[in-house]
Amino acid sequence: MRIANPMYDAVFKHLLEDEESARLIVGTILGEQIDEIELAPQEITAQNVTLAQIDVQRLDFAATVRTADGERLRVLIEVQKSHYSEDVLRFRRYLGQHYAEHGYVTVGEKDGGRERRRALPLLTIYFLGRRLPKTGATVLKVARRYLDAVTGEELPQREDFVEALTHDCYVVQVPLLTDERRNDLEKLLSIFDQRLQTEDRHVLDLDHMGMPPQYAPVLRRLEAAAADTAVAASMALADEVTSIWVRQEETIAEREETIAEREETIAEHEETIRRQKAEIDALHRRIRGPGDG
């Protein structure tokens, strides 16, 4: 089965615009049943980048979800296909924007009939095209624990104040995906496996026979994207921008290496001059002798 490569922003956007697919992906990663998901167009923020006369949108995704137990939270999703030096800072800026937003949920009423509201908790999901250097988990789950710092006891209750200021996250390391799909999560994530690229890296050749039937909407959506000319054009543009970015970073790295080499040469010359001056001074002292003042 040939599907569009969801590591491309255009494909992932096309996938998440389908509510059923978005609910399946987010719910499977979180290990929760998602009863409701809101991924409105205005929740997909675009960061415009103009590079070498190419204007491209950098897309990030946000969704408000309600789990089966009634918990509501804001889920932020980031896709990093290639490595850029500014990615971590971009992730932090995007995260900061959502912490600053006025996203509230009504949780009851106070005396006098006034509504009591609390900030929606945040949760982040990162799809990384490069693996982390120290962690070998296909999907890394970073879950906070409440501890009594004096006794070390784990506390079962969660506080709205803390939930509004901290968050859990999931990191999917796409390069660590293998043919060994140990559970439904890894089976679903096989749609991101870059080893399945065809002669066209925009398209993956996926063996869907072992895919659980509940993920059929995701596969249909990606299969349709593979035949969509607008999506294909967006992927080609992304490749062009990536190529320009890589060349720029390589140029910067080469310049920094040249500067470092020149600084090292200058330091060596200065050390040689210092040593030669010391040798000349010592020679002058010997010529003058001990009584020559």
Side-chain angles (χ1 to χ4, degrees):
M1 178 180 195
R2 295 206 161 198
I3 61 172
N5 188 346
M7 285 301 288
Y8 283 86
D9 280 346
V11 179
F12 200 60
K13 174 180 180 292
H14 180 84
L15 181 61
L16 287 190
E17 283 176 337
D18 177 61
E19 182 177 325
E20 188 172 10
S21 296
R23 187 169 61 247
L24 285 167
I25 291 171
V26 173
T28 302
I29 293 173
L30 269 57
E32 299 270 4
Q33 179 182 333
I34 304 298
D35 284 352
E36 179 183 324
I37 187 166
E38 300 173 12
L39 188 72
Q42 62 266 24
E43 293 294 350
I44 303 176
T45 64
Q47 301 177 18
N48 290 324
V49 178
T50 301
L51 189 60
Q53 298 182 338
I54 297 176
D55 185 64
V56 62
Q57 287 187 326
R58 176 68 202 187
L59 297 165
D60 301 295
F61 308 93
T64 300
V65 306
R66 180 171 60 83
T67 62
D69 61 5
E71 176 70 8
R72 294 179 66 86
L73 67 155
R74 178 69 58 87
V75 177
L76 311 181
I77 306 173
E78 299 269 6
V79 180
Q80 178 206 0
K81 184 170 71 72
S82 301
H83 173 72
Y84 303 121
S85 58
E86 74 275 8
D87 271 333
V88 170
L89 292 178
R90 183 177 63 81
F91 290 170
R92 288 177 61 141
R93 284 194 300 269
Y94 183 57
L95 185 59
Q97 290 171 10
H98 280 273
Y99 268 116
E101 277 186 357
H102 299 289
Y104 293 98
V105 58
T106 301
V107 294
E109 294 185 353
K110 289 184 175 181
D111 293 340
R114 295 180 59 188
E115 291 184 341
R116 183 170 68 88
R117 301 185 302 168
R118 67 176 176 85
L120 281 171
L122 292 180
L123 184 145
T124 55
I125 300 173
Y126 301 104
F127 290 84
L128 302 185
R130 290 198 176 190
R131 62 162 298 171
L132 299 172
K134 300 177 183 178
T135 304
T138 305
V139 183
L140 173 64
K141 177 180 179 179
V142 181
R144 295 157 302 145
R145 298 167 61 204
Y146 283 49
L147 300 175
D148 185 319
V150 175
T151 66
E153 175 188 4
E154 185 166 356
L155 306 176
Q157 299 299 321
R158 298 199 165 222
E159 296 286 353
D160 289 348
F161 174 81
V162 177
E163 293 299 295
L165 296 174
T166 61
H167 68 278
D168 295 343
C169 83
Y170 293 79
V171 180
V172 179
Q173 300 195 75
V174 172
L176 297 183
L177 295 171
T178 68
D179 294 332
E180 183 185 4
R181 297 160 188 172
R182 295 165 290 182
N183 58 13
D184 282 357
L185 174 56
E186 286 191 337
K187 290 176 182 177
L188 174 62
L189 293 178
S190 65
I191 64 173
F192 294 92
D193 191 344
Q194 298 303 289
R195 298 174 307 132
L196 304 180
Q197 288 183 12
T198 63
E199 66 282 354
D200 178 359
R201 59 186 168 185
H202 302 158
V203 177
L204 306 181
D205 189 3
L206 176 70
D207 180 3
H208 66 287
M209 297 306 295
M211 187 71 72
Q214 66 265 29
Y215 300 135
V218 175
L219 298 182
R220 287 196 298 268
R221 189 75 176 176
L222 290 175
E223 188 176 33
D228 190 312
T229 55
V231 173
S234 295
M235 286 190 282
L237 177 59
D239 283 342
E240 187 172 353
V241 171
T242 297
S243 176
I244 294 172
W245 253 314
V246 168
R247 289 199 301 270
Q248 284 193 347
E249 290 213 332
E250 287 175 348
T251 299
I252 292 171
E254 289 172 359
R255 289 175 180 173
E256 289 176 347
E257 184 178 355
T258 300
I259 291 171
E261 290 173 352
R262 288 176 179 174
E263 289 177 345
E264 183 178 354
T265 300
I266 292 170
E268 290 174 353
H269 287 170
E270 289 176 345
E271 174 61 22
T272 299
I273 292 170
R274 186 196 63 78
R275 188 171 59 252
Q276 289 175 346
K277 185 178 182 301
E279 291 172 354
I280 291 170
D281 289 344
L283 180 60
H284 284 171
R285 286 194 295 271
R286 287 200 300 271
I287 294 172
R288 288 197 301 266
D292 286 344

